[in-house]
Amino acid sequence: MRDFTRRTLVKGGTAATAVGALTGPALLNWAKAWAQSSPFKPEAGAQLSMLRWKYFVQSEDDAFVKIMEAFTKATGVKVTISRESYEDVQPKASVAANTGAGQDMFWGLYSLPFLFPQKVLDVSDVADYLGKKYGGWVPSAQVYGKGTGGKTWLDIPVCYSGSLMNYRISSMEKAGFKEFPKTTDEFLAYATACKKNGTPGGFALGHAPGDANAWAHWCLWAHGGNLVDKNDKVVINSPETAKALEYSKKLYEQMIPGVLSWNDASNNKAFLAGEIHWTDNGISIYVAAKKDPTKQAIAADMNHAYYPIGPVGKPTEFHLMYPLLAMKYTKYPDACKALMAFMLEADQFNAWLIASQGYLTHTLNAYDKNPVWTMDPKTAPFRDVAKRTLTAGGLGSVGEQAATAISEFVVVDMFASYCAGRTDVKGAMSDAERQAKRIYRS
Amino acid sequence: MTQIALEQPPVKQIRDATAWARLKVNRDWLGFWFMLPAAAILILFLAYPLGLGVWLSFTDARIGRSGTFVGLENYEWLWGDNVFWLSVFNTLLYTTVASTIKFAVGLYLALLLNENLPFKAILRAVVLIPFIVPTVLSAIAFWWIYDAQFSIVSWSLKHLGLIHENINFLGDVWNARWSVIFANIWRGIPFVAITLLAGLQTVSPSLYEAATIDGASAWQRFRYITYPLLTPIIAVVMTFSVLFTFTDFQLIWVLTRGGPVNATHLMATLSYQRAILSGYLGEGSAIATAMIPFLLAAILISWFGLQRRKWQQGENND
């Protein structure tokens, strides 16, 4: 990856100068000025490599690549990007952390840096710089950046990918609802009516890292259940969890058959084929429908909504966080920091948010004003996901135990085994409790 | 005189030849030198990782930090872990059912292909296709075939009016198990069939001619000529087949990730999930290490089988 020679360095250097000279200051003046005024100066001759999650919305990746190119032109630092399906970033990053060799930067999921906190670069200066400049970080992003009660930033919580309710407007109206249900009770009535009308929906109950974890945690938290309390003591075996399980089973009975086998892609396919009329997902279904000439009817007939609020009386959503971290072993820590700062500066980030069409949600308050949230009213609900989300681990710490519990599907499997009728409520809770206690043992 | 003879220089020279110089040319050691490169590769890439894996299973190593020795703690935990025992059950079921059917169908195919069929060469090549396609690709094809909403099987049966609801291939515990077993069988048959076919070709036709003259039936020719002569190959093929099936990973990972509710988790997939995805290297290694006794048993059975002349050359040839 970093096996550059003197020759490539010279070439890189001259190329950067040549481009600057040829295209004149017009194209590059901002990026160049940024490079000069930025507090983060890359090391001479630095080259970076980054492994990022594979895009769901092509235009988002195009905008991302443009940012990387601008960075290279402004600073002379070449950035090599590789992409992996988002759940595969974690094993690669873990192995890299373990062996001390691999990409300089990893852009993964949830609390990735907390799996190996002592191996990642402290980026507090970047976080402070961005926070001050752009209206501060939302609280959930601070938790993902520093951990619960942590002082140093282990990563830059770049953005969320919101997982909200996707629904068909016509079938909702046919089910007798003018707007999407706001409470869990209404939601169950809605799901029941939808099934009766032959327009069922469904939530993934297989090992779907994104969709299944999102709704299972929502359901657990909405009823007051929690995997752990604020001291990371396992409290999953509780009457509240039992209520959540009972509710999920009633809901499961109203879902389309087969959800136990669903992965993250299954509900997208089924929704776009008109097989299901409600599910939880990012904005990718809508984006795909808009782009496909044969799916215009679905795009026009669908909308997004917040998750219904449960007995606890407040939002209990769980959105995907994408933290960007740099490894301590990198030869160019300053270049990593410079890139992190560059990505989130308004001139880059605004264009990127627009290109992602609502798939990504910012974590810096100033970006609430980005036009992407008003251009299409159907993206509007996604603006608030950073403010509505709870963090991995719920009440507990966002550390490696929380990350492990999510990747082990402790909560998802608890719901799945009860919904599938493999265990009773008590069995499902005690299985999850046993697993969680192992994960959270001190 | 005697003193002078004792102090003769030539004796001294012989003593000067070092042990190393003698080892270099010693015929008894020559074999050792030739084996050394192979041994180095085996030790470096097989024995060392295996040893390391076993060692890790006695530690609480996590990804990103080396663990401390915890004795049998990982195994004790697994002993009481429902999911682990479920994966052991799944692995045994998967291996037994899939290997048996692969052997039966593979042998049948091999016998069929050994006959004088039209387009024999093409047919033999076609049989190999499932084996040639990369596992992940065929797994993705099966993923669509088994899809809860878009399965071609469900679609066809629905259009034929035989069923009214989609078949829940991967969402039902037992359906999922049979579905992944079927995919594994589909993929594994060519290996068994083609290898057994190679074995069949080595059987001398004169034996069949003699048997036919003696009035042996087709079944008797198979039972008393083909089967005994094929036994060594069968032992090797089935050892490999069992080992491949027991350690299968890709098919399961693509199709179900061990779901629904861990009903198709094999020991290999569970080990990967615990060790790499969740970061518990120690526990994952313990699961992988727990596979060793089963694999050793499979190897030993065929090893001792191969040593026995009865197995190799028929029952009465001791």
Side-chain angles (χ1 to χ4, degrees):
Chain A
M1 252 351 130
R2 293 192 299 272
D3 55 340
F4 55 89
T5 59
R6 194 182 59 85
R7 175 172 297 197
T8 53
L9 275 182
V10 172
K11 262 161 67 184
T14 44
T17 338
V19 169
L22 284 173
T23 51
L27 181 76
L28 281 172
N29 55 4
W30 189 85
K32 286 239 163 197
W34 180 86
Q36 268 158 27
S37 65
S38 161
F40 307 102
K41 304 260 186 262
E43 295 85 348
Q47 291 198 334
L48 292 178
S49 53
M50 185 201 290
L51 179 66
R52 66 159 288 180
W53 51 278
K54 197 167 172 12
Y55 55 88
F56 294 83
V57 175
Q58 173 75 47
S59 53
E60 178 271 306
D61 195 65
D62 296 342
F64 175 75
V65 169
K66 265 187 206 149
I67 294 176
M68 296 298 127
E69 282 168 359
F71 181 72
T72 305
K73 281 177 187 162
T75 60
V77 179
K78 194 173 175 298
V79 188
T80 313
I81 309 290
S82 29
R83 297 168 182 81
E84 290 280 353
S85 162
Y86 67 8
E87 69 258 40
D88 292 336
V89 174
Q90 185 190 313
K92 297 243 164 145
S94 299
V95 171
N98 204 18
T99 57
Q103 277 89 347
D104 303 284
M105 304 171 85
F106 287 87
W107 193 20
L109 208 54
Y110 294 126
S111 36
L112 180 65
F114 297 93
L115 286 176
F116 32 78
Q118 65 281 69
K119 306 271 176 178
V120 298
L121 191 69
D122 177 354
V123 290
S124 304
D125 41 358
V126 184
D128 291 343
Y129 165 79
L130 289 167
K132 275 188 197 122
K133 196 163 172 188
Y134 293 105
W137 299 92
V138 298
S140 66
Q142 294 185 29
V143 175
Y144 274 119
K146 295 190 283 194
T148 319
K151 292 203 170 57
T152 56
W153 290 72
L154 299 181
D155 62 90
I156 295 298
V158 179
C159 56
Y160 280 98
S161 176
S163 162
L164 291 176
M165 297 304 306
N166 287 226
Y167 63 95
R168 293 284 290 270
I169 300 163
S170 58
S171 54
M172 175 185 76
E173 283 165 355
K174 202 175 161 203
F177 288 81
K178 282 200 184 72
E179 53 172 14
F180 197 79
K182 291 221 165 10
T183 66
T184 41
D185 289 340
E186 281 170 23
F187 181 55
L188 185 59
Y190 157 83
T192 311
C194 277
K195 168 116 190 219
K196 201 180 275 171
N197 292 339
T199 57
F203 286 141
L205 261 178
H207 284 177
D211 297 336
N213 270 312
W215 90 265
H217 283 90
W218 157 75
C219 186
L220 176 68
W221 292 335
H223 291 85
N226 272 294
L227 190 62
V228 292
D229 66 10
K230 63 182 190 322
N231 300 317
D232 281 342
K233 189 171 159 266
V234 176
V235 292
I236 187 69
N237 203 335
S238 69
E240 289 81 12
T241 307
K243 270 184 214 145
L245 284 168
E246 299 291 2
Y247 178 82
S248 74
K249 184 145 194 175
K250 282 182 214 150
L251 198 57
Y252 170 76
E253 281 156 8
Q254 306 307 325
M255 295 185 202
I256 194 168
V259 291
L260 280 162
S261 69
W262 277 9
N263 62 20
D264 274 328
S266 305
N267 60 343
N268 296 48
K269 288 190 300 174
F271 198 101
L272 285 169
E275 297 270 332
I276 55 168
H277 290 244
W278 59 262
T279 189
D280 68 317
N281 207 60
I283 205 160
S284 51
I285 293 178
Y286 180 58
V287 170
K290 270 201 302 190
K291 223 172 85 183
D292 185 343
T294 64
K295 307 282 182 213
Q296 292 308 310
I298 290 180
D301 185 42
M302 72 179 286
N303 205 347
H304 307 102
Y306 300 134
Y307 277 91
I309 288 175
V312 294
K314 56 176 189 196
T316 53
E317 287 163 18
F318 186 40
H319 300 295
L320 289 176
M321 155 53 60
Y322 291 119
L324 175 64
L325 64 90
M327 290 288 185
K328 249 185 198 158
Y329 61 66
T330 178
K331 284 186 195 157
Y332 309 111
D334 292 336
C336 292
K337 289 179 179 179
L339 180 60
M340 287 171 165
F342 186 76
M343 280 167 69
L344 281 133
E345 294 276 12
D347 292 66
Q348 279 71 243
F349 198 70
N350 271 323
W352 188 16
L353 270 187
I354 292 170
S356 72
Q357 304 176 60
Y359 195 79
L360 302 182
T361 302
H362 54 272
T363 45
L364 285 161
N365 288 316
Y367 293 116
D368 276 349
K369 295 191 196 76
N370 188 289
V372 75
W373 308 124
T374 42
M375 283 189 311
D376 182 344
K378 288 185 180 177
T379 62
F382 286 92
R383 180 190 58 211
D384 305 327
V385 302
K387 297 195 180 73
R388 291 175 67 92
T389 190
L390 305 187
T391 50
L395 299 176
S397 69
V398 63
E400 56 180 325
Q401 288 104 334
T404 306
I406 291 171
S407 61
E408 277 275 301
F409 297 103
V410 175
V411 174
V412 172
D413 278 350
M414 177 179 76
F415 280 103
S417 70
Y418 179 60
C419 288
R422 261 178 55 89
T423 48
D424 57 4
V425 170
K426 277 199 179 129
M429 289 196 299
S430 64
D431 281 354
E433 184 182 29
R434 186 170 180 279
Q435 250 187 309
K437 277 193 170 152
R438 162 87 166 174
I439 292 168
Y440 278 92
R441 73 184 163 166
S442 45
Chain B
M1 282 293 278
T2 28
Q3 274 179 352
I4 293 164
L6 281 173
E7 287 163 12
Q8 268 171 356
V11 180
K12 217 178 169 185
Q13 269 177 5
I14 289 169
R15 277 189 192 151
D16 268 355
T18 58
W20 170 241
R22 271 180 286 150
L23 276 180
K24 277 198 293 191
V25 292
N26 189 320
R27 276 168 176 267
D28 296 336
W29 279 81
L30 206 59
F32 176 78
W33 298 126
F34 281 124
M35 282 195 317
L36 201 58
I41 290 171
L42 286 178
I43 289 170
L44 193 62
F45 295 111
L46 281 171
Y48 171 69
L50 185 69
L52 185 65
V54 175
W55 161 250
L56 280 176
S57 74
F58 295 111
T59 70
D60 58 358
R62 306 277 318 250
I63 282 180
R65 77 187 72 139
S66 53
T68 51
F69 182 79
V70 293
L72 290 172
E73 203 268 343
N74 285 319
Y75 294 95
E76 280 163 22
W77 156 260
L78 288 176
W79 189 262
D81 183 10
N82 294 338
V83 178
F84 170 71
W85 286 112
L86 187 63
S87 81
V88 173
F89 167 77
N90 291 337
T91 312
L92 291 177
L93 177 85
Y94 187 76
T95 311
T96 320
V97 175
S99 299
T100 313
I101 298 180
K102 274 191 276 192
F103 171 66
V105 181
L107 181 62
Y108 175 73
L109 256 181
L111 291 170
L112 214 60
L113 290 169
N114 199 33
E115 300 294 318
N116 271 321
L117 298 166
F119 310 113
K120 197 155 80 174
I122 294 177
L123 276 179
R124 283 180 188 176
V126 168
V127 166
L128 268 178
I129 287 177
F131 195 58
I132 298 166
V133 181
T135 312
V136 171
L137 281 188
S138 47
I140 289 174
F142 270 105
W143 181 60
W144 278 98
I145 292 173
Y146 292 149
D147 192 281
Q149 269 73 45
F150 307 102
S151 164
I152 177 93
V153 180
S154 299
W155 184 87
S156 311
L157 291 177
K158 255 160 91 176
H159 278 251
L160 288 171
L162 294 173
I163 56 170
H164 300 289
E165 282 214 337
N166 282 344
I167 302 169
N168 196 359
F169 283 107
L170 299 178
D172 173 84
V173 170
W174 279 100
N175 280 358
R177 283 184 183 138
W178 297 127
S179 301
V180 292
I181 287 175
F182 179 83
N184 179 280
I185 292 171
W186 177 85
R187 193 180 148 65
I189 281 176
F191 170 72
V192 179
I194 295 294
T195 320
L196 290 182
L197 181 62
L200 284 175
Q201 314 250 296
T202 62
V203 180
S204 165
S206 60
L207 291 172
Y208 292 115
E209 283 162 21
T212 315
I213 292 166
D214 285 348
S217 66
W219 166 249
Q220 283 170 323
R221 285 199 300 270
F222 171 76
R223 174 65 190 82
Y224 296 105
I225 300 174
T226 315
Y227 176 69
L229 289 175
L230 211 54
T231 330
I233 297 263
I234 292 178
V236 173
V237 170
M238 287 321 289
T239 311
F240 276 105
S241 179
V242 167
L243 295 191
F244 289 155
T245 316
F246 197 88
T247 55
D248 196 9
F249 175 85
Q250 300 176 68
L251 259 179
I252 301 288
W253 200 248
V254 173
L255 284 177
T256 63
R257 303 239 148 164
V261 211
N262 302 317
T264 59
H265 245 318
L266 301 185
M267 292 166 84
T269 52
L270 189 68
S271 164
Y272 177 78
Q273 182 175 317
R274 297 256 167 101
I276 304 297
L277 293 186
S278 304
Y280 286 102
L281 280 181
E283 193 182 320
S285 303
I287 298 172
T289 306
M291 294 166 74
I292 295 177
F294 295 101
L295 297 172
L296 270 184
I299 295 169
L300 288 181
I301 288 170
S302 70
W303 174 256
F304 285 114
L306 282 170
Q307 297 293 306
R308 287 177 55 188
R309 291 185 55 168
K310 261 188 190 172
W311 273 44
Q312 290 180 17
Q313 291 166 9
E315 298 206 359
N316 301 320
N317 198 348
D318 277 311

